[in-house]
Amino acid sequence: MALDRIRKRPEDHAGANLDDYERCAASFSWTQARSLLDGLPGGGLNIAHEAVDRHVQAGRGGKLALRWIGRDDQIRDFSYADLAAQTSRFANVLAQFGVGKGERVYSLLGRSPELYIAALGTLKNGSVFSPLFSAFGPEPIKARMSIGGAKVLITSEAFYLRKVEPWRKELDSLALVLLTECSGNPPTATVDLAAVMTAASETFETVRTEPEDMALVHFTSGTTGRPKGAVHVHEAVVAHHITGRFALDLHADDIFWCTADPGWITGTSYGIVSPLTNGATMIVDQAEFDAERWYRILQDQKVTVWYTAPTAIRMLMKAGAQIPKRFDLSRLRFISSVGEPLNPEAVVWGVEAFGKPIHDNWWQTETGGIMISNYPAMDVKPGSMGRPLPGITAGIVERRNGEICEIDKPMAMGELALRPGWPSMMRAYLHEEERYRKCFAGGWYLTGDLAMRDADGYYWFVGRSDDVIKSAGHLVGPFEVESALMEHPAVAEVGVIGLPDPAAGEMVKAYVALKEGFEANELLRKELLGHARKRLGPAVAPKDIAFRQNLPKTRSGKIMRRLLKARELGLPEGDISTLESEER
Ligand code: 6R9
C-alpha cells in the first residue's frame, strides 16, 4: 500500500498537548517552557528535582513512577515517593564516599532498577552521570571511562570481573566501584551497593546546581578519533520536558514505555527524564526484544504512549501483523520511533497492525532531545521525519565558496542544520574543543546528516555525510572497530563500513589485509570475529569480515571506506581522484 499522506481527523488528536502546530510554533518561547518547571531556590535547576522530588512535594508522591518488569516477569513498582527515597539513599552513598559536585559517575548495567536510581541519585548529588551500554566490551568501556575521568563506576559483579577488573589499575581516577548482584564478599576494592544503600538515609537535600552545570555525558562516535563525550547540563531538562509533551504527547495520566536502553541517549532523555518530569508512569523491561513479550507488555501494562526504534519495528513486522490482533492494544494512543530511517512501509504497517501510524522523529546525542517530529495533530507523510519542534529552527544548508548558505528550494538535498540555543544542546565534547568547534558554522549547528525539506516544511532523511554506521539504532564509529582489529597480530590494515541490512538498518563489516606470513582462511576469519567481539562487545563488533589483499587508500594513506562500500554494493565509485593506485 503506497500512501503519501496519512490524514489526521480531529478525533485522532483530541486533548493533544500540541493541538495546532502552526499556532504553537509561532507563540512558543523557551522562557515559558522553563516556567512549567520548579527550579531550586535562588535560580538553581536540577534534573532529578524536576523529575522526582517536585512531584512528591506537590503531593503526588503516591503516584506510580516506575514499573520495572524483570526478565522472569517479576514486577517491582516504585512510586514517586519511593524513587525520591531511593535516589536520596544513593546520593547519600556518593556523598559518604566523598564524591562531589561535578565528579563523574558511570554506570555499566542492564536495565535494572539500580540504573534508574543511580542516574537520578547522581544528579541529586550534583555529580555527573554517564551511562554506558552494557553490551559494550572492555575496550569501549575503558576508552569512555578514561576520557571522562570516571571517579565512580556502578556495575554488576559479573560485568566488573569480566569487563573492568582486568584493566582497572590503568585508570587512576577510578576511586569507587559499587557492585550490584554481589554473590558474596565483594571482590577487592569494590563495595556491595545493596549493603551501603540499606545503611544510607532516605533524606537528602538536592545539591544546588546551576542551569549551566554539567549533568550528563553521553558518548557518541565520529568517523575518526576517539569516542566523543557530549556534555549536557541541567538546563537540558527544559527541553526534555517540553519535547516529551509535544513530540510524544506525554500527559500525567500516561503509561509510557520507552524501549531504549539508557546506554543510548534516548533511554535517558526519554527513558528516564522526560516521562518523570511529566509525571507519567514509565515501564521498564529488563529483557531483550521478543515480539510476543512486547505485545503482551503493551496489553497488560495498558501502555498509552510507546517510543521505540525502527529495528524493533522491522522485527515486529517480520513476526507478522496477525500477532498484535491477538492482544488488546486499545489503550495505545500514540506510537513513536527514533534512531534510524523509518521506512514508509513501517509507518503504513503501523496502521494495519495498531490502527494508527508510527510517528517518526529525529534527533542526536548532541541535540539532547527531539528536534524534528511528527505530531498527533499533524498529517503524517510516511518516510518523513516531520517538522521542527516549536522553539527549533532547522534548515538545509550547503557550503558555497567556504560559506554556509541555506538552500530554500523544496526537496533540494543538503546538510541538515539547526540554529543553536535550545536548552538540551551539548555544551562541549569533553576535551575536544576543536571537534566541537567544527560542528558550528555560519550561525548553524551542522548535524552531519543529509536531508531535504519539502514545500510543506516536512524534513526527509537522505543519509549521513560521514562514515559513521547506524546498526540496530546504535552509532558505531568505524575507527573504534578498526583499532580493535589492528591489535591482532595478523592484521596489517583494516577498513570498516556499514552495509545495508534488512533488520538492523546497517551491518558492521570489516575488510582486512593480512600481514606477511598469515594465510586468509576460515579459521583466521573466525578468530578475528571472536577477537573483535571479545574486545568490543556484540553491539560494536563486526558481524562479518572479508579478506582483501589491498585496501583502497588516498594518497595520504587513509583507507577510503566510501570506495570499499561502493565496490561492495556495485555503486558508482564517485570521485576517486585522491585514490592511490592499487594492485587489484
Ligand atoms: C537519538 C539518536 C543520531 C543519528 C542521526 C541520524 C540517525 C536518528 C533518525 C535518524 C533517520 C530518523 N537518526 N533519528 N535517521 N531518521 N528519525 O538516535 O541519537 O545515536 O546520536 O544518533 O541517528 O543519522 O544523526 P544518536
Side-chain angles (χ1 to χ4, degrees), residues 29 93-94 128 149 197 210 233 282 311 323 350 396 437 580:
S29 87
V93 167
L94 292 182
V128 176
M197 281 289 275
E210 303 302 324
V233 297
M282 62 185 218
T311 295
I323 308 184
I396 301 292
R437 229 171 21 78
E580 176 82 87

Side-chain angles (χ1 to χ4, degrees), residues 8 23 64 66 91 165 206 215 223 335 341 343 356 359 401 409 425 469 530 584:
K8 298 287 184 63
R23 191 169 45 86
L64 183 59
L66 162 64
E165 206 215 31
T206 298
T223 304
I335 313 173
N343 338 33
K356 29 187 79 68
H359 296 77
N401 309 323
K409 216 167 87 205
M425 177 60 186
I469 302 157
R584 292 203 196 182

Side-chain angles (χ1 to χ4, degrees), residues 48 82-100 103-109 112-130 151-155 176-180 191-205 207:
D82 294 335
L83 262 194
Q86 292 300 321
T87 53
S88 287
R89 279 184 196 268
F90 189 81
N92 276 314
V93 167
L94 292 182
Q96 276 158 25
F97 280 100
V99 181
E103 293 188 308
R104 315 278 155 75
V105 178
Y106 279 66
S107 69
L108 177 70
L109 290 168
S112 64
E114 288 83 1
L115 170 53
Y116 296 80
I117 291 163
L120 294 159
T122 298
L123 296 172
K124 265 193 177 174
N125 190 49
S127 310
V128 176
F129 192 67
S130 188
K151 169 129 188 196
V152 182
L153 172 68
I154 155 165
T155 186
L176 176 64
V177 174
L178 297 167
L179 294 187
T180 64
V191 172
D192 179 354
L193 178 67
V196 287
M197 281 289 275
T198 313
S201 157
E202 282 186 3
T203 50
F204 183 87
E205 190 181 337
V207 168

